[in-house]
Amino acid sequence: MNTYSRILFVCAGNTCRGPMAATIMQQFVQDMGILTDSRGMVVLFPEPYNPKAVAVCAGHGMIMPSNSAAQLENTDFDNNTLVLVMNQSMKQKIYESYDRAINVYTLGEFAGAGETEIADPYGRGIDEYNQCFEQLYVLIEKAAEIIRKNMEEEKDDSNRQ
């Protein structure tokens, strides 16, 4: 398993699930020197993050950066970047649309939760945003454990050499 210096979360418009996921993951990997960020599959203009997503993160003691939506680009892919998406169709679309796509997994797949899909709460109430946050949190906690374990194993391997 590869170790990564950057984790990129990709959702539809980069205003809700991706930014929430990047904010959550940052809590788990900030001591590992890993950067977290998010991108969207279709971003027509740089709109601000969804206020409900920002409020839900704040309600859990996490401050979402005040960035605006950004489009996924071919330059976002490299050997040191882990790309986590919300569902299988996004993963497939990325591999079809980006010739440099590499290290792309669904969040559920990477976290060992199989075909778990993260529903988009866009246009719904605050309860749906909270449910989305909770689902992301559980999967990201598992994914962060895997990343930490891989980094420790790689460090152990290099110490043995």
Side-chain angles (χ1 to χ4, degrees), residues 21-123:
T23 301
I24 296 165
M25 180 62 88
Q26 190 60 46
Q27 307 299 305
F28 290 105
V29 300
Q30 60 191 358
D31 66 324
M32 292 188 255
I34 298 174
L35 300 173
T36 64
D37 206 351
S38 63
R39 296 286 183 269
M41 295 289 290
V42 179
V43 178
L44 302 177
F45 58 93
E47 65 181 303
Y49 292 158
N50 185 296
K52 290 178 188 169
V54 173
V56 166
C57 280
H60 287 89
M62 298 179 197
I63 305 304
M64 201 183 270
S66 57
N67 298 339
S68 53
Q71 174 70 41
L72 182 65
E73 305 284 347
N74 241 334
T75 54
D76 285 318
F77 301 98
D78 63 47
N79 288 328
N80 299 316
T81 301
L82 171 63
V83 180
L84 297 173
V85 300
M86 303 298 138
N87 58 51
Q88 192 63 37
S89 63
M90 275 185 195
K91 177 182 171 180
Q92 186 175 341
K93 181 89 172 139
I94 286 172
Y95 277 120
E96 290 169 0
S97 305
Y98 297 90
D99 59 358
R100 292 189 55 197
I102 185 173
N103 303 324
V104 180
Y105 302 89
T106 68
L107 177 55
E109 170 186 31
F110 190 86
E115 293 293 315
T116 305
E117 298 205 358
I118 291 78
D120 190 351
Y122 180 78

Side-chain angles (χ1 to χ4, degrees), residues 120-152:
D120 190 351
Y122 180 78
R124 314 282 300 270
I126 198 78
D127 288 345
E128 286 82 5
Y129 281 82
N130 263 312
Q131 289 168 359
C132 181
F133 179 95
E134 297 294 340
Q135 184 184 24
L136 286 169
Y137 192 93
V138 168
L139 293 171
I140 289 167
E141 186 173 31
K142 290 176 183 173
E145 287 172 20
I146 292 165
I147 292 164
R148 186 174 300 279
K149 184 176 170 228
N150 291 340
M151 287 186 85
E152 288 169 0

